Amino acid sequence: MKAAAVVLAAGAGTRMKSKKPKVAHEILGQPLVRWVVDAAHAAGIGRVACVVGHEREQVVPLVEGDCDLVVQEQRRGTADAVAVCAETLGDFDGSLVVLSGDCPLITADTIARLVEAREQADAAAVVLTMELADPFGYGRIVRDAAGNVERIVEQKDATPDEAAITECNSGFYCFDARVLFDALGRVSNDNAQGEYYLTDVLEICRNDGRAVVGLRCDDASECLGVNSRVQLAEATRLLQRRINRAHMEAGVTMLAPDLVWIGPGVTIAPDVTLLQNVTLMGDTSIGEDSVIGPDTRLTDTRVGAGCVIDETVAIEAIIDDKATCGPRAYLRPAAHLCEGAKAGTHVEIKKSTIGKGSKVPHLSYIGDTTMGEGVNIGAGSITCNYDGKKKWSTVIGDGAFVGSDTMMVAPVTIGAGAVIGAASCITKDVAADALALERSDQRELEGWAAKRRKRQAEE
């Protein structure tokens, strides 16, 4: 398929009432414009030009690297937005798809169908149309006797018969690129808004004797744009259901799919169970037979097979096969639970490796630590890794046992098989197989409590 695409992403989106440009708002962790660009690439379109304008410094980082960036300095209408691509795509000879950067529901299949329809008909343009039960506000598609698109009539200009038409313009097109750029030079802005409209190109093509074809979209929701926070929520719900359905059809169990949110880059193996209030975002992967949730959020995290992840927040973490997390665990970037390891209730782990079969069961913080296999960390223990200026490392050898309420003041090494007595503050290295205790002697003053109560009663 010889095709290119233009993604229109220069608008301000004032109805969003935001300091961010409309196309930078996110659905399931991905900006609106990125959904459209990715759909174009998935359709087999390698060359994509993205037209930026309003607050472009926020939009450019979202698409640079796999798009040609074109700036529309003044927003003078859709035809002008495409025309500014003439220098970038003017030498292109083939099908040119025009997409809206605020329409994240468009699919790769529909984009490919647009290109195929234009090439089969050798048409100047193909308009993607949609059937709407309530077409109010949309441009109506008026067809000629042969079924080709004769014209698009806007709501305010429609006669009663034309207003009754339910086939509407979606705003998605596929053009013969050479025909398009020639016609753009003839578009006028002689209208109430003083703007250059891309729809005028269709009439120019018809007057030149070239066919303009209408292709009905199978699902009108693909064409929905996002112009407000309400529409952002509506599009999110539709994409959520689309993604969740695909995962369920591939063998993933969701007991409450409306309470599961999955980003487009997430991969999930068959026989995974996702419980309620699970959010999986970014480059996250889940291995088979794992149970995730309830109340779990994983971002850019790799989970192996047979894991149980309950009430956990994990960011840029690695969780190997048969490991368990939670409830109420927090894995920060570079946390690594090896096979069969455990991070239990109210446990926070940062930039640390928890060795195979090792356990941090509850109420502990482990940071900047390398922990061997078969280690047990008692409740309330922490690694004191920060001195106010620098982070220091802790090393805990295989089979070590750390008693409850232990402070390990880094840098410190605890040898393999060592035992640390509860309530110790370890500031020096501990040899392998040693017992380390650090406590003040316990003192007891007989009758002291009774004397205090007597004084308090007399005051």
Side-chain angles (χ1 to χ4, degrees), residues 82-207:
V82 178
V84 297
C85 297
E87 184 175 343
T88 300
L89 294 172
D91 61 343
F92 179 75
D93 186 9
S95 294
L96 182 59
V97 182
V98 177
L99 305 170
S100 297
D102 60 358
C103 295
L105 288 139
I106 193 69
T107 65
D109 286 345
T110 296
I111 295 172
R113 285 181 60 219
L114 264 176
V115 175
E116 182 182 9
R118 195 209 71 78
E119 292 177 350
Q120 286 184 349
D122 190 27
V126 176
V127 182
L128 185 67
T129 71
M130 53 186 178
E131 289 285 344
L132 298 176
D134 180 9
F136 184 84
Y138 288 89
R140 308 304 203 277
I141 301 295
V142 179
R143 294 179 180 261
D144 61 19
N148 292 322
V149 176
E150 184 176 280
R151 64 187 186 278
I152 298 174
V153 181
E154 298 303 323
Q155 176 75 42
K156 62 182 182 298
D157 300 321
T159 66
D161 286 344
E162 291 168 341
I165 296 172
T166 57
E167 185 182 14
C168 301
N169 180 25
S170 70
F172 292 90
Y173 310 91
C174 182
F175 294 95
D176 179 316
R178 292 187 179 276
V179 172
L180 169 64
F181 285 112
D182 174 70
L184 285 171
R186 293 183 274 161
V187 173
S188 168
N189 67 340
D190 185 16
N191 53 61
Q193 301 298 321
E195 293 188 352
Y196 298 90
Y197 294 126
L198 191 59
T199 50
D200 290 352
V201 170
L202 306 179
E203 183 178 357
I204 292 171
C205 292
R206 289 272 300 185
N207 292 338

Side-chain angles (χ1 to χ4, degrees), residues 58 66 84 97 123 168 266 335 352 358 371-372 374 418:
Q58 296 185 51
D66 58 355
V84 297
V97 182
C168 301
V266 174
S352 297
S358 291
M371 187 182 300

Side-chain angles (χ1 to χ4, degrees), residues 279-286 292 295-303 309-319 325-326 328-337 343 347-349:
T279 300
L280 308 176
M281 291 292 142
D283 185 21
T284 291
S285 63
I286 312 293
I292 312 297
D295 304 312
T296 292
R297 173 165 54 90
L298 309 180
T299 304
D300 297 325
T301 291
R302 190 182 79 206
V303 178
I309 313 297
D310 180 11
E311 287 189 74
T312 293
V313 173
I315 302 168
E316 297 177 18
I318 299 173
I319 303 169
C325 285
R328 293 171 293 283
Y330 182 23
L331 304 186
R332 292 165 57 189
H336 181 186
L337 298 188
V347 167
E348 179 177 348
I349 298 175

Side-chain angles (χ1 to χ4, degrees), residues 56-73:
R56 59 180 177 268
E57 68 278 1
Q58 296 185 51
V59 180
V60 168
L62 307 177
V63 296
E64 63 182 344
D66 58 355
C67 290
D68 293 319
L69 295 167
V70 182
V71 177
Q72 185 186 24
E73 295 290 356

